[in-house]
């Protein structure tokens, strides 16, 4: 500590400036031996830094969502005059965002997509396991659009439509609320449609055991029956290791059941290996019931999980898979 009469410029520059700062803080706060407290604060910051990182990294996905919305606003502004003459005004915007998200998937997760040959040329209902975030589905949609020039609509939870700033993103990608009539209509028009029957509940409260949480939901099966289309199961390896939740804490489960809002902390954002596998289609059968088709679909999805996912999931193992020989894309 320097004396009250000593100049802050005295002595070696790195030492004197630091000592001067400590002295000023001590005089200002009136705390004796403040350098001990500062040392402790620095120590705590180093100890807690990794913990802060794992809770902040998932925010990158949120930033990408809003970046996507901003890019679509710019795209819309620059192309307003073409809207009346374009068969699909948002086509260019979707291609732009597909490039953005596919680039993120390749760089951060070494993303791979397998089994695209199982997607029919015509309409079909893709049923997938819901990770803590839907980022794997976004990677899938982007890769499918880039490689196969196929676009896939998706059904989202109602709360998503109330998130500020994302309306243009939802509109551009034809995200649906999920009424059965709307889904059947889209499929009858020849569209691909994706849905995660587990929804937000599966996203928040499933874990590294990859348990499927569908409850009694079977509306998706009735949609496939009414539209007379096949169901295609889909699963992404290590999706639970990329981002995890604290859904195992009872208070968060109670808050969700009371509010129906995803008030559960996320952590992770780890650059684990992600591979999406598309299973063989379950063909339309005219005499099958919704209950039977639900059970059949769940069994097919469970088979994909058992085949491609080591359970329980492990973050370190999923990270090491980035360095293994990658499987070739279809």
């Amino acid at each position: 500590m320097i004396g009250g009469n000593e100049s802050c410029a005295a002595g070696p520059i790195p030492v004197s400036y630091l000592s001067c700062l400590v002295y000023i803080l001590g005089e200002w706060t009136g705390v004796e031996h403040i350098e001990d407290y500062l040392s402790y604060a620095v120590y705590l910051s180093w100890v807690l830094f990794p913990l802060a990182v794992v809770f902040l990294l998932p925010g990158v996905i949120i930033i990408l969502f809003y970046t996507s919305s901003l890019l679509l606003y710019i795209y819309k502004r620059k192309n307003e005059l073409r809207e009346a003459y374009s068969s699909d005004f948002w086509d260019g915007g979707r291609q732009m965002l597909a490039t953005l998200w596919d680039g993120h998937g390749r760089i951060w997760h070494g993303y791979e997509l397998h089994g695209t040959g199982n997607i029919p040329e015509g309409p079909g209902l893709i049923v997938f396991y819901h990770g803590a975030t839907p980022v794997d589905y976004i990677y899938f949609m982007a890769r499918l659009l880039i490689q196969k020039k196929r676009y896939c609509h998706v059904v989202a939870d109602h709360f998503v439509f109330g998130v500020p700033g994302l309306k243009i993103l939802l509109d551009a990608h034809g995200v649906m609320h999920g009424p059965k009539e709307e889904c059947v209509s889209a499929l009858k028009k020849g569209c691909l449609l994706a849905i995660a029957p587990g929804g937000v509940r599966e996203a928040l409260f499933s874990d590294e055991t990859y348990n499927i949480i569908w409850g009694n939901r079977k509306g998706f099966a009735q949609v496939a029956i009414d539209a007379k289309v096949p169901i295609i199961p889909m699963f992404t390896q290590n999706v639970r290791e990329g981002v995890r939740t604290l859904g195992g804490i009872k208070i968060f489960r109670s808050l969700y059941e009371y509010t129906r809002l995803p008030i559960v902390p996320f952590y992770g954002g780890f650059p684990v290996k992600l591979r999406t596998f598309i299973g063989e289609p379950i063909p339309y059968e005219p005499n099958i019931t919704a209950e039977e088709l639900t059970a059949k679909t769940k069994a097919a999805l469970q088979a994909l999980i058992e085949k491609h996912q080591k359970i329980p999931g492990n973050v370190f193992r999923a990270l090491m898979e980035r360095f293994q020989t990658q499987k070739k894309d279809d």
Side-chain angles (χ1 to χ4, degrees), residues 1 4 27 46 49 71 84 111 139 163 167-168 178 187 203-205 219 225 271 274:
M1 177 71 71
E27 291 292 314
W46 277 105
F49 178 74
L71 290 173
Y111 180 74
Y139 293 153
V163 178
K167 184 179 185 302
I168 191 171
L187 289 167
L204 299 180
F205 306 115
I225 292 170
L274 293 184

Side-chain angles (χ1 to χ4, degrees), residues 203-234:
L204 299 180
F205 306 115
S206 186
D207 53 26
E208 64 272 16
T209 63
Y210 287 83
N211 51 319
I212 297 173
I213 305 176
W214 287 3
N216 294 319
R217 293 184 177 179
K218 53 181 181 292
F220 73 92
Q222 191 61 56
V223 165
I225 292 170
D226 293 344
K228 301 180 181 180
V229 298
I231 287 179
I232 306 101
M234 185 173 78

Side-chain angles (χ1 to χ4, degrees), residues 129 208-212 233-238 275 277 279 295 297-313 317 321 327:
Y129 171 86
E208 64 272 16
T209 63
Y210 287 83
N211 51 319
I212 297 173
M234 185 173 78
F235 170 72
T236 300
Q237 182 186 59
N238 296 326
R275 295 186 180 99
F277 296 93
T297 305
K298 189 174 183 179
L301 186 57
Q302 186 65 51
L304 279 180
I305 294 173
E306 292 174 359
K307 181 178 180 180
H308 299 293
Q309 182 65 52
K310 294 180 180 178
I311 297 176
R317 182 177 63 230
E321 288 179 8
K327 299 181 180 181

Side-chain angles (χ1 to χ4, degrees), residues 261-320:
L261 294 173
I263 311 174
V264 177
F266 292 77
Y267 69 95
F270 305 115
V272 301
K273 184 67 178 181
L274 293 184
R275 295 186 180 99
T276 294
F277 296 93
I278 301 170
E280 295 184 3
I282 301 171
Y284 165 71
E285 298 178 30
N287 298 321
I288 197 169
T289 65
E291 290 78 7
E292 292 170 339
L293 185 55
T294 299
K296 205 170 184 179
T297 305
K298 189 174 183 179
L301 186 57
Q302 186 65 51
L304 279 180
I305 294 173
E306 292 174 359
K307 181 178 180 180
H308 299 293
Q309 182 65 52
K310 294 180 180 178
I311 297 176
N314 180 280
V315 174
F316 180 75
R317 182 177 63 230
L319 287 169
M320 291 301 100

Side-chain angles (χ1 to χ4, degrees), residues 92-304:
R94 293 188 191 120
Q95 292 283 351
M96 173 180 63
L97 294 189
T99 303
L100 170 68
W101 283 95
D102 187 61
H104 184 270
R106 287 178 184 273
I107 294 169
W108 195 247
H109 292 291
Y111 180 74
E112 298 177 15
L113 175 60
H114 301 276
T116 53
N118 288 326
I119 298 177
E121 292 295 328
L125 181 62
I126 295 174
V127 175
F128 63 98
Y129 171 86
H130 203 313
T133 70
V135 68
D136 60 311
Y137 169 76
I138 298 173
Y139 293 153
F140 155 75
M141 183 177 65
R143 185 69 59 85
L144 187 69
L145 186 60
I146 292 170
Q147 289 187 347
K148 303 293 184 180
K149 309 302 179 186
R150 294 290 305 274
Y151 178 70
C152 185
H153 295 268
V154 67
V155 176
D157 193 273
H158 293 291
F159 91 89
V160 174
F161 296 89
V163 178
L166 296 186
K167 184 179 185 302
I168 191 171
L169 188 62
L170 302 177
D171 291 343
H173 286 84
V175 180
M176 301 179 181
H177 282 279
K180 293 180 184 178
E181 296 76 16
E182 185 181 7
C183 294
V184 171
S185 176
L187 289 167
K188 286 185 175 180
K189 291 177 181 177
C191 298
L192 271 179
L193 179 63
I195 186 170
V200 176
R201 185 174 279 104
E202 187 171 82
L204 299 180
F205 306 115
S206 186
D207 53 26
E208 64 272 16
T209 63
Y210 287 83
N211 51 319
I212 297 173
I213 305 176
W214 287 3
N216 294 319
R217 293 184 177 179
K218 53 181 181 292
F220 73 92
Q222 191 61 56
V223 165
I225 292 170
D226 293 344
K228 301 180 181 180
V229 298
I231 287 179
I232 306 101
M234 185 173 78
F235 170 72
T236 300
Q237 182 186 59
N238 296 326
V239 67
R240 278 279 158 192
E241 279 55 71
V243 176
R244 289 186 171 178
T245 74
L246 298 180
I249 300 176
K250 290 184 178 180
I251 188 172
F252 293 127
R253 183 64 178 263
S254 300
L255 280 172
Y256 172 76
E257 298 298 344
Y258 180 74
T259 65
R260 286 296 189 270
L261 294 173
I263 311 174
V264 177
F266 292 77
Y267 69 95
F270 305 115
V272 301
K273 184 67 178 181
L274 293 184
R275 295 186 180 99
T276 294
F277 296 93
I278 301 170
E280 295 184 3
I282 301 171
Y284 165 71
E285 298 178 30
N287 298 321
I288 197 169
T289 65
E291 290 78 7
E292 292 170 339
L293 185 55
T294 299
K296 205 170 184 179
T297 305
K298 189 174 183 179
L301 186 57
Q302 186 65 51
L304 279 180

Side-chain angles (χ1 to χ4, degrees), residues 70-99:
L70 177 61
L71 290 173
L72 285 178
Y73 276 114
I74 296 171
Y75 173 84
K76 182 179 181 181
R77 183 77 175 183
K78 291 178 67 66
N79 292 273
E80 282 176 341
L81 295 178
R82 294 170 46 199
E83 184 171 6
Y85 305 98
S86 175
S87 59
D88 190 346
F89 175 71
W90 289 116
D91 184 61
R94 293 188 191 120
Q95 292 283 351
M96 173 180 63
L97 294 189
T99 303

